[in-house]
Amino acid sequence: MVDDGELDDRLSAVVALAQAMAAEPDLPGGVAAAAEGALRALRGSFAAVSVWERERGRLRVLVNAGELDGDEERLPADESYPVHNFPEIAEFLHEEWVGGRPHAWVERADGPDECAEYAGHRVVSLRRHRRSSCVIAPIVLHGRAWGELYVARPQGAPVFDRKDADFATVLAAVTAAGIVQTERLEEVRRLAYTDPLTGLGNRRAVDARLDEAVERHLAEGVVVSLVVCDLNGLKRVNDTLGHAQGDRLLERFGSLLSLCGARLPGALAARLGGDEFCLLSVGPPADEVVRAAEELCLSAGRLELGEGVACGIASTGDPIGEVRSARRLFRLADAAQYRAKAAGSRKPVVAGRDGGLADPVVRLADRPPRPAAAERRRFRGRR
């Protein structure tokens, strides 16, 4: 039996674990909070959260917490174990895990080296790391075995008992609920920053990344380049061949833009809306960005649908004057794209490369807007 004082402590520990996971923005942070919370709640010296990667047949450690041995890392790059070393995951406890009745169990360092069921590798690990006992609690998501919560105590400490295992079962259930919530939030975030047709980033993603990029440029001098593209002929395709073919054109160009971005480490490829796309590059020199955009224009011109692309580039690596805001870089790239479209250019137009600040593109972008003139894009008016 658990006395009232211990029950209160355990209830507080459960609440604290749930709150800690809820405060984390992503899965790595959430499972780290779960490991730390379980470590404290069960008075252990070491804890880990692992995931069962079915496609690879392995149990992969996501986080280690507490007192780490020499071969243990807090966030291991690739600490994993063949699942057949721990058959309880896929065999002995499978029905209970899938049925939603997962029960934690205890292993002791003074257990047998090998046994007919599944204790052997756990016992060997305990002895190697000089730990007296461990409790293993299955983590079940959506009715399927997801992974495990593992907590151990050092030599000389009281070994875990059945009450601890029951408590670990509760902690694993709270961990599972936290992981589900994190997955939902990550999916919401992904959808909020993704164009549903092309799978590229959307304007919200560009705005957020560009703000960060300009801050880095101002603080560190990093080169920030923006490529703005207008896909030619989309309206004609929609009007003559139907919107399904128009969507196909958008998807095909989106794939080309993604390939273009792959040549620039860390670049973000995005669809701003309608027939407008952009590529945001942070770090690579302006000339590399221009070369990638030239390849993009050539590839777009070979598409079986559409009429190529009008492409404008603005980069802090070119003589365009001081860039202190995302808005100015957008206006420069947009002005360059406008000039490319007006001239029917099959190559990118690059702001600042035709006379620096006297470049017609730079002058167009920096010209004060007429009071009655409507903005071509809403993002020009933001901030």
Side-chain angles (χ1 to χ4, degrees), residues 312-315 318-320 332-333 335-336 349-354 356 359 361-362 365:
I313 304 173
S315 174
D318 283 322
I320 57 175
L332 285 161
V349 171
V350 186
R353 294 200 172 185
D354 187 15
D359 184 332
V361 171
V362 177

Side-chain angles (χ1 to χ4, degrees), residues 33-364:
E36 295 284 356
L39 185 71
R40 291 189 294 270
L42 287 163
R43 298 184 178 88
S45 61
F46 173 83
V49 174
S50 303
V51 61
W52 176 16
E53 295 184 334
R54 285 176 170 79
E55 71 281 7
R56 298 187 179 183
R58 67 180 189 173
L59 192 66
R60 182 168 66 89
V61 179
L62 299 177
V63 62
N64 293 312
E67 299 172 10
L68 308 185
D69 209 350
D71 61 345
E72 294 169 334
E73 299 178 358
R74 175 170 170 74
L75 298 172
D78 190 23
E79 181 185 348
S80 58
Y81 306 93
V83 75
H84 61 73
N85 286 349
F86 306 98
E88 70 275 14
I89 295 176
E91 298 174 13
F92 295 108
L93 300 180
H94 182 72
E95 293 304 321
E96 290 190 12
W97 285 33
V98 172
R101 303 181 302 279
H103 296 292
W105 72 97
V106 173
E107 303 288 358
R108 300 162 56 116
D110 58 5
D113 288 322
E114 298 291 342
C115 71
E117 294 187 352
Y118 47 78
H121 289 278
R122 307 282 188 184
V123 171
V124 170
S125 178
L126 287 171
R127 293 176 179 175
R128 185 174 74 251
H129 296 296
R130 300 176 299 282
R131 293 164 184 151
S132 65
S133 63
C134 65
V135 59
I136 302 100
I139 298 173
V140 176
L141 267 67
H142 314 301
R144 300 179 66 190
W146 182 89
E148 68 174 35
L149 174 66
Y150 176 100
V151 182
R153 285 176 178 168
Q155 290 177 347
V159 298
F160 289 113
D161 57 20
R162 183 68 253 170
K163 291 187 298 182
D164 295 317
D166 290 341
F167 185 35
T169 300
V170 175
L171 295 174
V174 174
T175 298
I179 291 170
V180 169
Q181 182 64 20
T182 300
E183 288 180 339
R184 288 173 178 166
L185 290 173
E186 288 185 340
E187 179 65 9
V188 168
R189 283 192 208 97
R190 187 188 68 79
L191 293 174
Y193 288 93
T194 302
D195 175 62
L197 177 63
T198 63
L200 302 178
N202 61 13
R203 195 179 71 190
R204 184 182 289 110
V206 175
D207 286 347
R209 184 79 67 85
L210 185 56
D211 283 339
E212 296 172 359
V214 170
E215 288 177 7
R216 282 192 60 195
H217 167 69
L218 294 173
E220 307 167 22
V222 66
V223 175
V224 180
S225 305
L226 188 65
V227 182
V228 173
C229 305
D230 192 290
L231 187 57
N232 297 325
L234 177 64
K235 184 177 186 303
R236 183 188 62 78
V237 172
N238 283 333
D239 290 346
T240 60
L241 302 176
H243 285 273
Q245 289 299 310
D247 287 349
R248 182 184 174 205
L249 173 59
L250 291 168
E251 290 174 318
R252 289 286 292 113
F253 181 74
S255 297
L256 293 179
L257 185 64
S258 180
L259 291 172
C260 173
R263 298 180 55 180
L264 304 168
L268 171 66
R271 181 186 177 205
L272 298 173
D275 57 3
E276 295 177 337
F277 293 77
C278 80
L279 185 69
L280 172 60
S281 170
V282 182
D287 285 345
E288 289 188 19
V289 177
V290 172
R291 284 194 291 270
E294 288 172 345
E295 288 294 326
L296 176 67
C297 289
L298 287 173
S299 298
R302 300 189 192 108
L303 289 174
E304 67 276 14
L305 297 172
E307 300 166 9
V309 63
C311 182
I313 304 173
S315 174
T316 61
D318 283 322
I320 57 175
E322 190 176 29
V323 175
R324 301 198 62 83
S325 70
R327 186 181 180 213
R328 182 166 189 267
L329 198 65
F330 245 131
R331 290 181 68 91
L332 285 161
D334 190 40
Q337 181 273 321
Y338 180 83
R339 188 173 180 85
K341 195 173 187 70
S345 175
R346 294 186 176 275
K347 293 184 177 181
V349 171
V350 186
R353 294 200 172 185
D354 187 15
L357 294 179
D359 184 332
V361 171
V362 177
R363 294 172 61 186
L364 174 64

